[in-house]
Amino acid sequence: MVLGIDLGTSNTVSASLSRDGSPVLIPDAHHKDQLTTPSIALIEGKRAYAGGFAENLFQTLPDKQIISFFKRSFGTQDPVYFDDHKNAWFSETVASLILKKVKSDAELYLPDGFKRAVITVPAHYNDVQRKSVIEAAKLADLELSAIIEEPVAAALFYGSFNKKIDEEIILIYDFGGGTFDLTLITKAGNQLNVIAKDGVNKLGGKEFDQIVHTTIRESYEKAFKCPFPTDKLVTNRIQKIAENIKIELNDTEIPRDLRKWIMVGRDAFEATFHYDTYAAEANQLIAKTETAVNRCLRSLGMQLKDINKIVLIGGTSSSKLVYNYWKQKMVPGQDLIYHQPLSSVAKGAALYAGSFGEGSNAEITPIDLRGVSTYNIGLILSNENSPAKPQIDLLVHRNTPLPITSKKVYKISPHQREFVSFELCQFWDPKEDVHQLGTIKAGPFSLMADFYMEIAIENRLNGTIGIKLKNADNGRDIKFEFIRKESNHTYDFKQQKALVDGVYLNNNI
Ligand SMILES: Nc1ncnc2c1ncn2[C@@H]1O[C@H](COP(=O)(O)OP(=O)(O)OP(=O)(O)O)[C@@H](O)[C@H]1O
Ligand SMILES: [Mg+2]
């Protein structure tokens, strides 16, 4: 059997394949009607709780500190939690608790268990973020066949029962809890081509919650003439309340204002949420996704009217505001599809997992995935002597078919320096968002004469990056170290694995 996991910012969903090869969701082992696992954890001494367990505990004992939105910290060196012994827990480590929970649900649900899994990642994840997800799986003792991008997984699922989409251009619009991703796809038989990608970092349901949160804060401050409390406990609880009010505002048949009594500590106050104010701000957030859509289409010389279908996925796409925003942009002949927005990613991941031939019953459908690079990838030669703005040497252009290996040769003068360093970076726009992934430090060089060094950067099909250095004169490999961004805390696999293995998860002793 196989397992596909959509590790989401707010919710994690997992799926396997039934005998006929169609994907089915895996329920929570303790609550069979629960088909999603909240991506939250709670750690208490030697016990850890993940998913519904953590949420239930938090609801009965709201003074506990829950760890949520850790997916937004993938790829950073910043711990997301410190336990009673001041141990730093990284996003990978907390994520591994969720993965362990999902893994144990699957082991109980699938009569023959499962061998390997496929986990999904947002399409705009960079190399370090993708490697964080792979690392989280390792911490959870979960063997991976592959990682796959969330919109691609959704497209696989959509294409699995909709054979008509061949020769069409489809825009997968993935608006989730923490991220917005868009992917343009074409399909021909078993071949799925990603032709372009774009997105907005840190734009998701959480930003919509924030609109409601601001109203709550302002109402409190007006009622009590004092600043809104900022402690973690209030923040966690109000976050949940804000999310529920947001969903209520979004889901009303006829737009209307809401009045709610809210408790903060011992203070109760009434807040009014005006639909029109909320909708105006929400539409501004949706407009940011439109900017990304247009940028992506423009890069291909296309316009919105050239798209055959928009498939809406992700929880935020459940909002009527999102649907209506795009509905009024559609021209005759174009479809706006809203189909299983919450489960299609996990189901597509299960289909992809099945294509690796691990399934005992399921029919194996070969899937030929063709992807493109998400980012431009470049190198900056560190030169301490020159204060001038560093120049980026572009090696991989975004939206290039994957895998790709690109090489550049540099002249090295070892008598000037024992080591040579390059910054490896990914970016969409060099003027705005150059993200430094780490430093390639080559050397020490024993040669004294000048030589030519070749740097090869490989962007693999799964979006991760491989680096190789060699002496271009004699073909020999050159040793190097890859140093991630400096941080006060260092992620150490063994130490983090000991933390995960050292706790009892969800009362399993
Ligand atoms: N009816 C609704 N209207 C508006 N928003 C909704 C609705 N239902 C769910 N959401 C929001 O959708 C978000 C969760 O979506 P989803 O489960 O797709 O995210 P995720 O997969 O956890 O995140 P990501 O894919 O960004 O990592 C939450 O912010 C939630 O409040
Ligand atoms: Mg998601």
Side-chain angles (χ1 to χ4, degrees), residues 399-412:
N399 290 332
T400 305
L402 294 179
I404 179 177
T405 301
S406 180
K407 296 171 183 167
K408 184 154 174 76
V409 174
Y410 291 88
K411 185 177 175 189
I412 307 293

Side-chain angles (χ1 to χ4, degrees), residues 29 88 112 115 128 146 152 195 261 285 295 338 348-349 361 389 407 412 435 442 445 466 481 488-489 495 509:
D112 306 320
K115 271 212 191 102
V128 190
V152 178
I195 52 174
W261 278 95
L285 295 176
R295 183 174 56 203
Y338 174 77
N361 305 317
K389 196 167 181 291
K407 296 171 183 167
I412 307 293
H435 183 83
F445 300 110
E481 209 186 334
N488 295 337
H489 304 278
Q495 189 206 3
I509 297 175

Side-chain angles (χ1 to χ4, degrees), residues 1 16 20 62 67 72 82 127 154 195 206 246 248 258 294 306 349 359 392 396-397 400 404 457 463:
M1 275 291 142
S16 189
D20 67 353
I67 315 164
R72 284 192 163 182
F82 288 93
D127 169 67
I195 52 174
K206 197 178 178 193
K246 167 195 78 174
E248 207 177 324
L258 296 177
N294 288 336
D306 301 321
I392 304 174
V396 177
H397 206 283
T400 305
I404 179 177
I457 299 292

Side-chain angles (χ1 to χ4, degrees), residues 126-127 130-131 134 147 458-466:
N126 65 32
D127 169 67
R130 286 167 198 246
K131 285 178 181 156
I134 296 171
I147 53 172
E458 182 190 8
N459 200 183
R460 307 183 185 106
L461 189 60
N462 71 4
T464 59
I465 296 176

